[in-house]
Amino acid sequence: MLKPESGDLAAAGPVTPAGPQRSRRIPTRFVVLGLLFVITVVNYADRSSLSITGTSVRESLGFSAVQLGYIFSAFSWAYVVAQLPGGMLLDRFGARRVYACSLALWTLATAATSLVGLINARVVVALVVMFALRLLLGVFESPAFPANARVATIWFPTAERGQATAVFNSGQYFATVLFAPVMAWITHEFGWRWVFVLLGALGLAIAILWWGWMYPPREHGRVSPSELDTMSSGGAVVDMDSTPSTAARIRIDRGMLGRVLSMRPLWGISVFQYAVNSLSYFFITWFPIYLTQARHISLVHAGFIAALPALAAFIGGLFGGFISDFLLRHGVSLTLARKLPAAAGLLLGTVIAVADFTDSTTIIVLIMTTAFFGKGMGSLGWAITTDVAPTEAASIFSSLTNGLGNIAGIVTPIVIGYIVQTTGSFNVALWFVAAHGVLAVVALVGMGPIRRLSFGDRAEVSA
């Protein structure tokens, strides 16, 4: 038998050994999603850290309930105002650069919180410094969720986008599952300042990872041609960040903003996000304090108990995204596939008000767990946003809906602070939070059909 020459072997390419083929590696878009999930976990750990450490911070720095409510709200004041500039930056420079800078800067603001009160122990000084740092945290975190939505639009086909947005959105719940017990334990054993130091170190490491690994699909060395075809043919806008020069030519002016603001779905999504965020901000601001003050549960136990509703919300978020995409793949319209699980979940979230009628810690935890499962299941606002945002201004659209929706972060902590100080209990506060589940359903009905908007189609704008 003739043996091939070495040159023939080289021409034929590498020889594949006989035997079973290597298992297929995880598609790159799912690795990207995993990274988004991790960043979102850190994002919410940073913004919710003050709720876990809140009781210790109050005792250490001398804040009142109303003052703490204003500090809780400071994040959202800045977060809301900074949304539009953040969206403009994303549309101009892309997610890789803007997200890396955002993550590094909010990490520094988090770490700096550990220094409050060390130099000057006066309450008014500590109050001003803490408020300012929470404002900075809001500014620096403002591009995060619009960037998540932008990356999901770039990397995921329409039929996978519900699950993809549910996964990164569920990171907010997993942050509590993972970090609430840890932060409570660190606070109890070492003091509240160490919580902010450790979160700062973690965020900086992830910022470096994002910058070194994250590239657009066509420029990413790990993306195969078949995966790129699957993404682009299924509705992923793979070139959105590949050509920053195109993005740079987009002119952000009053005309563009006017066209975006005239889109009916923007307002429906914004009200929906406001209602959902009201439940979220109760959970990440006042809920641990509700457990320690109204239910007289120790801080360490409160940290573990707070993890149970968060775990339920995490599971509910994944379930809602799965059900939505399942319905879509089986012929249900995009509008119904998104709205049906969202409405069912948010109505289930209203059971939070029933906690007023019992003093049993076990039943209260069961009620909260059920309510936050529903809240997680119904949190499909980002999936809807990625489905309808016009390609010409995707991040601006996302930033506007996120900014308007996060007004809840200003209103909810302050209103609850006044309710608690005025009534001496959380009973009315729970009904206030529950009412937002009904508001979310009203917004779903009012936003109209779900479809990709375009500046070139007047019917899409006015629908």
Side-chain angles (χ1 to χ4, degrees), residues 83 86 147 157 168 177 188 227 256 299 320 326 389 396 400 408 410 420 429:
Q83 283 298 307
F168 76 67
V177 174
H188 183 265
E227 182 180 10
M256 171 178 283
L299 176 61
F326 176 84
I396 291 176
L400 284 170
I410 300 171
V420 171

Side-chain angles (χ1 to χ4, degrees), residues 320-373:
F322 170 80
I323 290 297
S324 180
D325 283 353
F326 176 84
L327 292 173
L328 186 60
R329 286 194 298 268
H330 286 76
V332 176
S333 70
L334 180 61
T335 298
L336 188 59
R338 297 294 190 237
K339 290 186 178 184
L340 187 60
L346 269 298
L347 287 177
L348 183 60
T350 62
V351 303
I352 193 173
V354 182
D356 277 352
F357 300 104
T358 180
D359 291 323
S360 168
T361 300
T362 302
I363 295 176
I364 288 169
V365 172
L366 180 61
I367 290 170
M368 293 294 178
T369 301
T370 302
F372 281 97
F373 174 87

Side-chain angles (χ1 to χ4, degrees), residues 230-242:
T230 297
M231 292 157 55
S232 59
S233 63
V237 190
V238 296
D239 292 317
M240 185 181 288
D241 272 1
S242 293

Side-chain angles (χ1 to χ4, degrees), residues 73-90:
S73 75
F75 169 89
S76 294
W77 286 99
Y79 190 73
V80 168
V81 172
Q83 283 298 307
L84 185 57
M88 291 178 177
L89 289 172
L90 283 166

Side-chain angles (χ1 to χ4, degrees), residues 139-159:
V139 170
F140 296 146
E141 283 197 6
S142 62
F145 268 76
N148 286 353
R150 185 180 184 89
V151 173
T153 303
I154 292 169
W155 284 85
F156 284 89
T158 303

Side-chain angles (χ1 to χ4, degrees), residues 151-279:
V151 173
T153 303
I154 292 169
W155 284 85
F156 284 89
T158 303
E160 295 178 357
R161 206 172 290 146
Q163 288 176 274
T165 57
V167 167
F168 76 67
N169 194 52
S170 66
Q172 63 181 287
Y173 314 121
F174 194 75
T176 303
V177 174
L178 181 61
F179 282 102
V182 173
M183 289 191 289
W185 178 79
I186 291 174
T187 301
H188 183 265
E189 294 294 325
F190 305 104
W192 61 269
R193 298 181 189 278
W194 282 102
V195 169
F196 297 96
V197 172
L198 295 175
L199 286 174
L202 178 61
L204 183 60
I206 295 174
I208 294 171
L209 173 63
W210 172 272
W211 178 256
W213 188 82
M214 188 65 193
Y215 290 90
R218 292 192 191 276
E219 301 171 27
H220 205 295
R222 197 178 184 278
V223 177
S224 66
S226 61
E227 182 180 10
L228 187 64
D229 180 66
T230 297
M231 292 157 55
S232 59
S233 63
V237 190
V238 296
D239 292 317
M240 185 181 288
D241 272 1
S242 293
T243 52
S245 59
T246 300
R249 289 196 297 267
I250 296 176
R251 185 181 176 188
I252 311 299
D253 55 18
R254 291 182 182 179
M256 171 178 283
L257 291 178
R259 283 178 288 178
V260 172
L261 290 170
S262 71
M263 295 176 172
R264 172 180 160 190
L266 177 137
W267 296 101
I269 295 169
S270 298
V271 174
F272 177 81
Q273 294 284 60
Y274 174 89
V276 173
N277 286 336
S278 184
L279 277 77

